[in-house]
Amino acid sequence: MSVPLRQQLAVGSYLIKQKIKGVKKYPLVLMLEPLFRCNLACAGCGKIDYPDDILDKRLSVQECLDAVDECGAPMVSIPGGEPLIHKEMPQIVEGIVARKKFVYLCTNALLLRKRINDYKPSPYLTFSVHLDGLKNRHDASVCQDGVFDIAVEAIKLALSKGFRVTINCTLFQGETPEEVAEFLDYAMELGVEGVTIAPGFSYERAPRQDVFIKGLEVKNLFRDIFKIGKTRKWKLNHSSLYLDFLAGNQNYDCTPWGNPTRNVFGWQKPCYLLADEGNASSFQELLDSTPWDKYGTVKNPKCANCMAHCGYEATAVEDTLANPLKALLAKIRGPKTSGDMLPEKQPEFVMTYKKSSISEIPVKVES
């Protein structure tokens, strides 16, 4: 994991305190969405199809900081929409940094050059720039030409000014291991701190549903990527066991309360990815009132193909705490890229597929 020692120690200390206190459900990363408005319309995005009255809503500085205090997570990820559109984002970030929380400001970087002087370099602030591959792949993913070049120039500018910079990469249909490897090589050449990488979640609200990779296809892709990576020096911002999970060697359930979401509707149930399950008015209400047993890959068809880090990284961290030797061995050897994968758990639900425009046939999902 390519995370500075200061952050590793702070997060490690937080985790140990939760264990000592006997806390069963605790947050690791707050997903703070101060707005849904964006300046792109990506094919795989499930956040931007709201009506204008919702897209025009903003969380205030105080609402954001109250959420940080209420939640107590050591890390805050600010996705969107596009956070740099929010006029008070510098004040929000400043307030989070003052609390010594590690904030990842997620951005497509279209506005970063214009807004960068509104921010100060800090060990607590990281610009997490969205890049889904090299030029052709990324521009196709965000449905606009020229975005890759703008993002790369913004990354170079931010690095030159002393900011921490990571890349957030989502993989979709049509990826090849060789293309992803070439992209990761390029990211390392840019000098970023690290890359987060995960398969895209098939949002019900996404403009296109044919862009998502699922199930065994995901695991085979990551195995082939990691096989190439054995001779490369990639810095991936993930725990060793999460990477092993992507390669089909760990069989995890998600930990949705590990990355709770606060947005313009309130505290989103149960997680960042499912937008239509209701909201809570406080973090404690979210913990107490969410029917957690309803969710997960074997429990709910909406969760069936999810392998996103916002659901499974917290599980991998829990497993690391419980089995440090296993995690150390996974870190030393890297994800296993050959041999049998762990069998997938059998779903407990019946999923409905659209057979035609006038009929639907329920089909039991078999692995």
Side-chain angles (χ1 to χ4, degrees):
M1 179 178 285
S2 59
V3 175
L5 182 60
R6 179 202 299 257
Q7 185 170 335
Q8 291 186 44
L9 292 175
V11 174
S13 175
Y14 168 82
L15 293 171
I16 291 170
K17 287 178 182 177
Q18 306 312 306
K19 292 300 180 183
I20 292 173
K21 293 177 183 177
V23 179
K24 299 298 183 183
K25 291 183 174 69
Y26 57 86
L28 183 61
V29 180
L30 168 62
M31 307 294 287
L32 181 64
E33 291 182 287
L35 79 169
F36 292 139
R37 176 75 71 183
C38 191
N39 47 7
L40 287 175
C42 304
C45 181
K47 298 286 184 177
I48 58 172
D49 72 330
Y50 292 100
D52 282 342
D53 63 319
I54 300 300
L55 294 177
D56 288 339
K57 286 183 179 293
R58 306 285 187 270
L59 290 181
S60 69
V61 174
Q62 193 59 54
E63 286 175 316
C64 291
L65 298 182
D66 286 347
V68 172
D69 293 338
E70 187 180 354
C71 175
M75 295 178 284
V76 180
S77 176
I78 306 181
E82 170 51 49
L84 295 186
I85 292 176
H86 198 303
K87 293 180 179 179
E88 295 179 306
M89 188 53 60
Q91 290 77 25
I92 294 170
V93 169
E94 184 179 9
I96 298 172
V97 168
R99 286 160 168 75
K100 294 188 176 180
K101 306 287 187 179
F102 295 92
V103 55
Y104 286 80
L105 185 54
C106 305
T107 176
N108 58 38
L110 291 179
L111 293 172
L112 187 52
R113 175 176 289 277
K114 180 179 179 181
R115 303 284 168 80
I116 197 165
N117 290 329
D118 295 336
Y119 301 89
K120 298 177 182 178
S122 166
Y124 293 97
L125 170 61
T126 302
F127 286 112
S128 178
V129 178
H130 172 212
L131 281 180
D132 287 342
L134 293 173
K135 182 180 176 63
N136 290 340
R137 166 66 65 173
H138 180 66
D139 286 355
S141 174
V142 301
C143 305
Q144 184 170 312
D145 291 339
V147 176
F148 178 85
D149 291 337
I150 294 172
V152 167
E153 289 306 310
I155 288 171
K156 293 177 179 178
L157 176 64
L159 289 170
S160 73
K161 289 181 173 290
F163 286 97
R164 293 178 60 186
V165 182
T166 60
I167 287 174
N168 178 22
C169 176
T170 305
L171 301 185
F172 295 100
Q173 278 284 358
E175 309 277 3
T176 68
E178 294 76 18
E179 286 176 336
V180 177
E182 186 180 359
F183 167 70
L184 291 173
D185 288 343
Y186 181 73
M188 295 303 97
E189 291 173 9
L190 282 176
V192 298
E193 183 176 291
V195 179
T196 60
I197 186 168
F201 178 75
S202 52
Y203 288 102
E204 289 182 311
R205 292 174 169 271
R208 289 179 56 187
Q209 290 296 314
D210 60 343
V211 298
F212 302 107
I213 48 177
K214 301 175 181 179
L216 189 60
E217 184 181 1
V218 173
K219 298 172 184 178
N220 283 324
L221 174 61
F222 274 97
R223 278 203 170 191
D224 289 341
I225 293 169
F226 296 147
K227 193 175 296 183
I228 297 172
K230 289 183 180 296
T231 59
R232 313 292 173 90
K233 294 184 178 180
W234 299 331
K235 297 177 181 178
L236 302 179
N237 264 6
H238 296 291
S239 65
S240 59
L241 290 180
Y242 176 70
L243 296 176
D244 214 34
F245 163 72
L246 290 176
N249 306 314
Q250 305 295 329
N251 212 342
Y252 289 147
D253 294 320
C254 75
T255 304
W257 56 83
N259 285 41
T261 297
R262 173 66 163 99
N263 59 32
V264 297
F265 295 125
W267 292 88
Q268 181 172 301
K269 299 180 181 182
C271 70
Y272 173 70
L273 299 171
L274 298 185
D276 299 316
E277 302 295 304
N279 301 279
S281 60
S282 69
F283 177 63
Q284 192 60 51
E285 182 187 329
L286 175 76
L287 290 180
D288 295 342
S289 66
T290 303
W292 302 109
D293 290 344
K294 285 178 53 180
Y295 302 102
T297 53
V298 301
K299 297 284 188 179
N300 194 311
K302 292 182 179 181
C303 308
N305 292 294
C306 181
M307 297 181 74
H309 49 84
C310 64
Y312 290 91
E313 187 67 82
T315 311
V317 169
E318 276 284 305
D319 195 16
T320 298
L321 292 174
N323 301 284
L325 181 57
K326 179 175 79 167
L328 178 61
L329 290 175
K331 180 178 178 60
I332 292 172
R333 64 170 166 75
K336 190 178 74 169
T337 58
S338 61
D340 293 338
M341 297 181 186
L342 290 180
E344 295 186 6
K345 297 179 181 179
Q346 292 298 309
E348 299 173 7
F349 54 82
V350 173
M351 183 176 278
T352 300
Y353 293 93
K354 288 188 177 180
K355 185 67 175 177
S356 70
S357 60
I358 59 174
S359 66
E360 292 184 344
I361 302 175
V363 179
K364 177 78 180 292
V365 177
E366 300 288 348
S367 297

